[in-house]
Amino acid sequence: MTIDIKSVGDVVLYLGAIATALIAVGALLRYVVLRPLKRWITEQVGDPVQEIRHEVTPNSGSSMKDDVAGVREAVEDLNKNLAAHIQATAPRDWRIRALEARLDEHFRDHPGPTHPPMEGT
């Protein structure tokens, strides 16, 4: 087997033809298969994902996340108002009796020489 210029030229031509064919197949796959597939995936998956993203991202009041934040703030305000209302409307003697009951329970649970017995126990 001898290598002459004609054989080298033939090998170069074959390699060039193979490279050109691969480039053509790659371009064909890109334009005929990949682009339509990407467009289809975007329609099937991308648009619904964008809708979900829009709903869970704060955007000045029109998303579910904004609604949840508003509900959370309203519940916190209601809790504060209810606690203030109970504090203001509960009779003073109820609060004093509750405090005395807590102190009596504490002294019962932790007797010691520094805690004198409470009256009425």
Side-chain angles (χ1 to χ4, degrees):
M1 178 166 150
T2 60
I3 298 178
D4 58 353
I5 297 213
K6 183 178 185 292
S7 300
V8 171
D10 289 342
V11 169
V12 169
L13 283 175
Y14 290 136
L15 290 176
I18 291 172
T20 304
L22 287 176
I23 291 171
V25 168
L28 181 70
L29 284 176
R30 181 176 182 180
Y31 290 107
V32 174
V33 176
L34 291 179
R35 282 192 177 180
L37 181 62
K38 182 180 176 184
R39 192 175 309 119
W40 181 80
I41 289 173
T42 301
E43 290 171 0
Q44 298 298 315
V45 177
D47 294 340
V49 168
Q50 288 301 323
E51 279 185 49
I52 293 169
R53 185 170 184 256
H54 174 75
E55 286 298 323
V56 298
T57 304
N59 54 7
S60 302
S62 66
S63 70
M64 288 189 312
K65 185 165 185 160
D66 292 326
D67 291 340
V68 169
V71 169
R72 177 180 292 138
E73 290 173 7
V75 168
E76 288 173 357
D77 289 344
L78 284 173
N79 282 338
K80 289 176 187 175
N81 291 339
L82 180 61
H85 175 74
I86 290 172
Q87 186 70 24
T89 59
R92 185 173 185 275
D93 59 332
W94 286 2
R95 293 189 301 253
I96 291 173
R97 279 192 232 137
L99 180 61
E100 288 175 349
R102 285 185 183 170
L103 287 172
D104 288 343
E105 182 180 337
H106 177 76
F107 288 141
R108 254 182 280 144
D109 291 343
H110 305 286
T114 60
H115 299 107
M118 297 288 290
E119 293 181 20
T121 55

